[in-house]
Amino acid sequence: MTTPPPDFQFDPIFDPGDDLTARVRRVRDGETTVSLRLESMLTAVDSANPSLNAFHEVLADSARATAASIDARLAAGDDPGPLAGSVIAVKDNFCTTEGHTTCGSRMLENYRSPFDATAITRLRDAGATLVGKTNMDEFAMGSSSEHCAWGPVRNPHGINRVPGGSSGGSAAAVAAGISDAAVGSDTGGSIRQPAAFCGCVGFKPTYGRISRYGLVAFGSSLDQIGPLARSVRDAATIYEAMAGIDPNDATTSDLTVEPSLLDGPFDPSSLRVGIPREHCTNRNHPGVSERLEQTIDALRAAGATIVDIDLPLTDHGISTYYVIAPAEASSNLSRYDGIRYGYRADPRPGESLETLYARTRSEGFGPEVQRRIMLGTYVLSAGYYDAYYKRALQVRRLIKHEFDAAFTKCDVLLGPTSPHPAFQIGAELDLLSMYLNDVYTVNANIAGIPAISIPGGMVEEDGETLPMGIHLQTPAFCEKSLFRIASTVESMLRSD
Ligand code: GLN
């Protein structure tokens, strides 16, 4: 593989004084304007995107119009919202009225949504300028952003490495500084694992906190939307703008979304931090283990109580996920038949409708999506439903109980986000190794609890210096505690 020239500059480790929150403040203080910020961002996108392939589509015209209208409102003394001044990238599985919504798939290559996802409407209402749609693994199935119909996304920390997936374009855009922040979706780790690989913050809320209306469905009982950002406070601000009940998504919760960081970070000495034994195994890369140990030592030294936790079902999460997620995907993706939705193969004279469906789906979907559909159809079929799907639902319940028991002993669970740093593009990981990327993240989706990945420092591999992520999980609907704890750990890690 040829190495594209590293023709862009980026902050390998973010300056804490230069996150979205600080940038928004500078716009409000009149030091700069949204339009000026956007123009410099668009220039950076032009120079970095040919190497990174983070964006599938840049929405320059509509972003310029939004930026101008926000500048005009600010000049008139109006308050356009907490995100006014920010430039945000959007994963290409959110329906947006501007541009296309392709989900990284040929199947939706020409699809233009007539409506905005609720999360998008709320970002706009909060004053965000949406700069473009980011590349992703097709239909959000993958851990590397290599399974994208528009080519692989590259990691700004190592141009021949993957950025993680499936929200790899979003993570690469944030890491490269070509957007202030981004939004993604997380069905089994697709926000947190790319955040870890790219050295940014990635957050997935409790199931039901953010409306999935207008998010192209993958595994409906697992999918959640969340931010990728430069700091915990940025992630909290974006989450708060998107969260809350929505009449268009009956699974959204009516619990109040509290401002997360009003009370500041926690005093570490008041915290019981649970370390799952199963997350500290020798499957972890030595650099990942070392950074994890250093984080635990720093917390202990700051007075936190470190509690050993057993989560024996950790590894069963992957098997459970790879039954439930494909089952739901096979049902969700059945609508793409070329007649009701999506790409249609050229009809052949005399061809039956069945054959047209089959050719359409085999031409429109990539191999990973086809594999998941077949797996999902199999586990839902009459002869195997009880053995696989029903059994997976039973294990799902046990995993939830295991978390409930763990949270009676600690306030937060802490471990690595992924067992290893970003791997090489085309490393041709066998399927199981690829699926094992998510061994520490999937269970939060299975149990529906909130989880965050924060930058945990850098590790060395083959002469390259790569980020790793620290993963934190709290009980359902405890986002406020999670952000406060994450903020505590973030400032400890930044000062070490
Ligand atoms: N990597 C996991 C998968 O391939 C998770 C994807 C996701 O969270 N969307 O399914």
Side-chain angles (χ1 to χ4, degrees):
M1 181 180 302
T2 52
T3 310
D7 53 358
F8 61 92
Q9 300 291 325
F10 76 105
D11 271 350
I13 297 167
F14 300 132
D15 166 1
D18 190 30
D19 61 1
L20 172 147
T21 315
R23 293 168 178 196
V24 162
R25 195 170 302 139
R26 287 202 286 277
V27 172
R28 288 189 174 253
D29 291 349
E31 287 173 38
T32 181
T33 66
V34 197
S35 301
L36 283 173
R37 295 208 58 239
L38 174 68
E39 285 314 319
S40 65
M41 212 69 105
L42 289 172
T43 309
V45 171
D46 274 351
S47 105
N49 206 49
S51 313
L52 294 176
N53 195 30
F55 283 97
H56 174 55
E57 191 169 14
V58 179
L59 304 171
D61 291 345
S62 58
R64 284 189 174 110
T66 308
S69 96
I70 290 172
D71 281 332
R73 287 179 63 188
L74 284 169
D78 226 16
D79 181 0
L83 296 175
S86 66
V87 177
I88 293 186
V90 177
K91 187 175 180 179
D92 205 14
N93 58 348
F94 287 74
C95 287
T96 52
T97 48
E98 285 134 9
H100 296 81
T101 298
T102 74
C103 268
S105 180
R106 227 161 256 306
M107 188 55 95
L108 290 176
E109 183 167 7
N110 299 314
Y111 177 64
R112 283 178 176 273
S113 171
F115 70 103
D116 275 332
T118 299
I120 297 298
T121 307
R122 292 187 180 179
L123 288 174
R124 292 191 203 279
D125 291 348
T129 297
L130 305 179
V131 65
K133 305 295 287 287
T134 55
N135 278 322
M136 54 182 282
D137 285 304
E138 186 176 2
F139 282 98
M141 297 175 187
S143 306
S144 67
S145 301
E146 291 168 295
H147 303 289
C148 175
W150 324 125
V153 183
R154 289 165 182 274
N155 189 324
H157 289 271
I159 207 71
N160 282 328
R161 301 221 172 215
V162 304
S166 62
S167 311
S170 288
V174 176
I178 55 177
S179 71
D180 291 325
V183 286
S185 63
D186 190 311
T187 307
S190 273
I191 291 175
R192 292 161 286 153
Q193 184 255 18
F197 278 18
C198 290
C200 36
V201 173
F203 168 71
K204 168 231 171 269
T206 307
Y207 184 79
R209 273 295 200 188
I210 298 182
S211 167
R212 290 174 294 109
Y213 180 69
L215 174 75
V216 179
F218 165 12
S220 306
S221 75
L222 302 157
D223 296 338
Q224 264 299 287
I225 286 168
L228 293 105
R230 295 166 79 90
S231 69
V232 171
R233 70 175 175 172
D234 284 358
T237 309
I238 298 167
Y239 155 70
E240 286 158 25
M242 295 190 292
I245 188 161
D246 175 17
N248 287 325
D249 176 355
T251 64
T252 48
S253 160
D254 62 359
L255 285 182
T256 313
V257 180
E258 291 177 86
S260 314
L261 292 173
L262 221 50
D263 306 326
F266 273 111
D267 172 359
S269 66
S270 66
L271 287 178
R272 292 172 307 159
V273 180
I275 313 295
R277 275 183 234 278
E278 295 76 7
H279 293 208
C280 305
T281 65
N282 58 8
R283 76 152 67 92
N284 293 343
H285 180 282
V288 168
S289 298
E290 197 182 318
R291 293 302 306 175
L292 178 64
E293 282 306 316
Q294 285 168 353
T295 308
I296 298 169
D297 288 348
L299 274 161
R300 192 183 281 115
T305 308
I306 305 296
V307 188
D308 285 332
I309 297 286
D310 282 310
L311 294 178
L313 293 175
T314 297
D315 284 11
H316 295 282
I318 288 288
S319 333
T320 309
Y321 173 85
Y322 278 98
V323 172
I324 296 174
E328 294 183 7
S330 71
S331 163
N332 279 325
L333 271 59
S334 65
R335 73 191 70 178
Y336 304 106
D337 57 14
I339 304 297
R340 289 174 299 172
Y341 284 98
Y343 166 86
R344 182 186 304 175
D346 282 337
R348 290 178 185 153
E351 183 176 45
S352 72
L353 188 58
E354 284 286 299
T355 324
L356 181 61
Y357 283 157
R359 276 198 312 111
T360 291
R361 285 165 71 81
S362 69
E363 288 172 25
F365 289 133
E368 182 62 20
V369 174
Q370 292 188 31
R371 181 158 39 234
R372 305 270 181 123
I373 292 172
M374 284 192 284
L375 191 58
T377 313
Y378 178 79
V379 300
L380 290 176
S381 60
Y384 296 99
Y385 183 94
D386 283 355
Y388 293 106
Y389 185 66
K390 194 167 153 210
R391 179 65 59 92
L393 293 185
Q394 288 165 336
V395 180
R396 180 176 199 170
R397 173 59 54 163
L398 295 177
I399 290 172
K400 185 179 173 305
H401 288 332
E402 195 167 270
F403 275 118
D404 291 345
F407 287 127
T408 62
K409 302 189 194 116
C410 63
D411 307 306
V412 64
L413 290 166
L414 182 146
T417 308
S418 163
H420 47 74
F423 46 91
Q424 300 276 349
I425 291 181
E428 287 180 25
L429 293 189
D430 61 84
L431 264 191
L432 197 58
S433 317
M434 187 65 102
Y435 291 176
L436 277 171
N437 268 284
D438 299 312
V439 63
Y440 302 138
T441 52
V442 280
N443 285 343
N445 302 72
I446 288 173
I449 60 173
I452 193 166
S453 177
I454 61 172
M458 308 300 276
V459 305
E460 298 290 326
E461 191 180 77
D462 299 336
E464 287 185 276
T465 306
L466 302 162
M468 65 78 74
I470 294 288
H471 191 228
L472 302 162
Q473 304 174 88
T474 55
F477 297 105
C478 292
E479 278 81 5
K480 181 172 176 183
S481 310
L482 181 57
F483 279 123
R484 293 184 67 200
I485 298 167
S487 183
T488 307
V489 181
E490 178 186 51
S491 43
M492 282 176 33
L493 290 171
R494 274 184 168 155
S495 57
D496 85 0

